[in-house]
Amino acid sequence: GRVVLDYIAPEDYALVREKIELARRTGQVTSYSLDSAAGPHGEPASYLTQVAPIAEPDGRTGVCLISVDVTSERRRERTL
């Protein structure tokens, strides 16, 4: 498998790590938006991502990231 940082520009690593840690620490869903992520074929893309905490059986807290490609919407917004 691949890790989420494989799809994110290095300048956005700190933001993504911050949101993941916030979800783990607080137990609350967080979100972030990126315009510099890599799309499925390596092209630039925009994503809106929800970070949801998941309680593991051993007591640790993991996270589930759900990303939605919003590239088309962002392009339309820029042309308005």
Side-chain angles (χ1 to χ4, degrees):
R2 297 181 68 179
V3 296
V4 67
L5 295 179
D6 289 347
Y7 301 96
I8 297 169
E11 60 268 18
D12 294 320
Y13 287 1
L15 170 68
V16 173
R17 285 186 176 121
E18 173 189 327
K19 296 298 183 173
I20 290 171
E21 288 308 313
L22 181 63
R24 283 184 175 147
R25 189 175 61 253
T26 66
Q28 299 293 314
V29 174
T30 63
S31 64
Y32 62 88
S33 180
L34 298 176
D35 290 320
S36 57
H41 304 289
E43 74 282 0
S46 298
Y47 288 93
L48 176 60
T49 301
Q50 299 257 327
V51 183
I54 301 200
E56 300 288 348
D58 64 3
R60 293 181 301 148
T61 302
V63 293
C64 174
L65 279 70
I66 303 169
S67 296
V68 177
D69 186 339
V70 294
T71 306
S72 296
E73 291 84 350
R74 293 283 166 79
R75 285 185 186 139
R76 278 194 299 275
E77 290 171 0
R78 287 185 198 117
T79 61
L80 295 177

